[in-house]
Amino acid sequence: MTHTESIPIDESPLHLKKVSRIKHIILQKYLPSWTRILGSWNKRLCYFDCYAGPGIYEFEGKPVDGSPIIAVRTAKDYLTSNMGNELVLFFVEKDKKHQVSLGKELGKCGPYEQGLRIHLMSEDAREFVSGLLDQVPNLAPSFFMVDPYGHPLSIPILNKILKRPITEALINFMFYRINMDASNPKVQHHLDEMFGDDDWRKQDFLKESGNVREEGFLQYFLSKINAKYKFFFRIRFDSEDCVSSGRTKYYLVHASNHPKAVLLMKEVMWPLGDDEGLFDFSGRRQGVLFSPSPQEEDLQNFLTQRYHGKKIPFDTLREETWDLPFIEKQYRSAIKKMRNENLLAINPVTSKTDRGLKGQDLVLFY
């Protein structure tokens, strides 16, 4: 571990809002499965937190782990069950106070299992990652936490990351701030740096307002990320912010090139919105009279229209429709109901009986 110089800091943890906490919850739920799946056929894995922070926060009056400590706890559990494997964690944090705080929190996590390597880097994330990519031709399977605006790691660099095999990223797209800065000539150069050029200035969505402008901006941002799968989760302002809760604060974008990665992230994100399947969080979930969640009937209708007269393995069907707001249990339920209504048949391949439905089981649509 890289040591940081001793400087006085305020011992009180920074306050964490609900809309920031959700990012940590997603990471906490995703990383264990990521390490288990990739670690089953890779001896070495890497995790990069490009804006590591202080390692601890105050949330609802109690201390909670920051993303680096979540990663360390996940790594310890993984290596306890996978002796002989290696997990390398890189925490990039330029702020001196955050470095010292994070160093203390990392110290509390010891002793470290054999195979756990931790590097606390006092560097600019852009310079560190750029140098790493130039020096290391082949990374082990890696997961990156990235903020391309607040902690500049430009999209061209992000795309270099995603070109590496079995590499994925959770990207913080700070829409509210970026949208404000796009209209301010004094800071528009920050967007040039993020995108790597000034082509964004010529886009028609900048002439629009409200939801049309937001959707255009989001889709333009996604179009610049060179990954096959880009799944996003909308985060709105919560009651602690002095902004209407209906407005978007930021988007979390999961970028990957493998269908199993996006399907896993969708499973993680699905129950965390204000209502299940919305992928939209404001921290104000209080129950609703009528749920706007996508309904299983919608999935049945879609599958009937798209796959009429075709046969397809269950997993392949889910991969081809990865961008629908439904998860595995809903696909399974919808398909079994359709079988009961004689709309399709299921031929077991992976399952041992016709009551199961998974993997390569064939679904034959009439």
Side-chain angles (χ1 to χ4, degrees), residues 20-40:
S20 297
R21 173 68 174 152
I22 194 69
K23 175 177 60 180
H24 294 161
I25 293 174
I26 289 171
L27 185 69
Q28 198 167 34
K29 290 179 177 294
Y30 185 80
L31 274 187
S33 295
W34 179 80
T35 55
R36 176 178 54 80
I37 294 170
L38 291 182
S40 65

Side-chain angles (χ1 to χ4, degrees), residues 16 20-21 23-25 27-28 31 47 49 51-58 63-73 91 102 105-106 109 145:
L16 191 68
S20 297
R21 173 68 174 152
K23 175 177 60 180
H24 294 161
I25 293 174
L27 185 69
Q28 198 167 34
L31 274 187
Y47 169 89
D49 198 328
Y51 50 114
I56 187 171
Y57 296 90
E58 173 272 317
V64 294
D65 293 336
S67 53
I69 306 305
I70 291 171
V72 169
R73 297 194 193 285
F91 303 131
L102 178 53
E105 295 307 313
L106 290 171
C109 294
M145 290 280 285

Side-chain angles (χ1 to χ4, degrees), residues 92-359:
V92 185
E93 181 52 64
K94 200 172 183 179
D95 184 278
K96 295 295 183 182
K97 290 184 178 180
H98 287 177
Q99 287 175 39
V100 173
S101 175
L102 178 53
K104 288 183 177 181
E105 295 307 313
L106 290 171
K108 296 175 185 178
C109 294
Y112 296 126
E113 281 69 13
Q114 185 176 0
L116 178 55
R117 307 282 182 265
I118 298 178
H119 302 278
L120 177 52
M121 316 301 296
S122 176
E123 297 186 42
D124 175 84
R126 177 169 44 189
E127 295 175 359
F128 168 71
V129 174
S130 294
L132 178 75
L133 295 175
D134 289 340
Q135 295 171 23
V136 183
N138 295 300
L139 286 175
S142 301
F143 187 93
F144 282 77
M145 290 280 285
V146 177
D147 182 346
Y149 197 69
H151 301 259
L153 193 64
S154 69
I155 288 179
I157 295 175
L158 177 58
N159 285 335
K160 285 185 179 181
I161 291 171
L162 292 169
K163 283 179 66 175
R164 303 296 177 98
I166 323 177
T167 296
E168 54 195 272
L170 189 60
I171 307 160
N172 189 351
F173 176 50
M174 295 293 296
F175 171 74
Y176 186 77
R177 174 52 61 87
I178 291 171
N179 187 46
M180 287 180 58
D181 290 354
S183 301
N184 184 350
K186 293 182 179 180
V187 292
Q188 287 175 336
H189 64 278
H190 291 314
L191 276 79
D192 296 342
E193 294 171 7
M194 179 182 73
F195 284 115
D197 56 43
D198 63 358
D199 187 59
W200 66 272
R201 299 176 186 239
K202 309 178 186 72
Q203 303 306 307
D204 289 338
F205 63 77
L206 294 174
K207 302 173 185 177
E208 305 293 343
S209 61
N211 292 337
V212 175
R213 179 182 172 103
E214 179 174 335
E215 179 65 16
F217 221 141
L218 174 63
Q219 293 304 321
Y220 180 76
F221 178 81
L222 295 176
S223 74
K224 294 298 178 181
I225 299 173
N226 294 336
K228 186 173 182 179
Y229 304 102
K230 291 162 283 192
F231 197 81
F232 61 87
F233 189 98
R234 180 189 182 212
I235 312 290
R236 288 181 283 150
F237 286 92
D238 68 15
S239 56
E240 294 185 66
D241 295 301
C242 298
V243 179
S244 167
S245 63
R247 302 187 69 176
T248 301
K249 188 171 188 177
Y250 66 97
Y251 288 90
L252 284 176
V253 179
H254 177 248
S256 66
N257 287 299
H258 198 287
K260 285 185 169 41
V262 68
L263 291 178
L264 174 59
M265 183 57 81
K266 185 164 70 164
E267 293 279 339
V268 167
M269 291 180 170
W270 186 84
L272 298 178
D274 288 350
D275 206 353
E276 292 178 334
L278 291 185
F279 304 99
D280 186 325
F281 181 81
S282 69
R284 296 170 179 255
R285 182 190 294 189
Q286 297 175 342
V288 291
L289 183 60
F290 297 105
S291 171
S293 293
Q295 299 300 303
E296 209 170 273
E297 288 183 3
D298 298 330
L299 177 58
Q300 293 179 28
N301 292 334
F302 177 88
L303 295 178
T304 298
Q305 293 176 21
R306 177 161 178 174
Y307 293 102
H308 175 69
K310 298 178 181 179
K311 62 180 178 180
I312 185 171
F314 178 65
D315 276 358
T316 303
L317 183 150
R318 292 172 53 235
E319 291 169 6
E320 287 187 359
T321 58
W322 64 271
D323 54 345
L324 295 182
F326 300 96
I327 55 176
E328 183 173 0
K329 68 178 183 180
Q330 293 171 302
Y331 278 87
R332 185 173 291 112
S333 174
I335 290 172
K336 287 186 174 181
K337 286 179 181 177
M338 293 169 71
R339 179 182 60 182
N340 294 340
E341 296 171 3
N342 294 317
L343 297 174
L344 57 78
I346 301 172
N347 286 350
V349 177
T350 303
S351 299
K352 294 182 179 180
T353 70
D354 59 5
R355 289 185 297 176
L357 180 57
K358 60 183 179 180

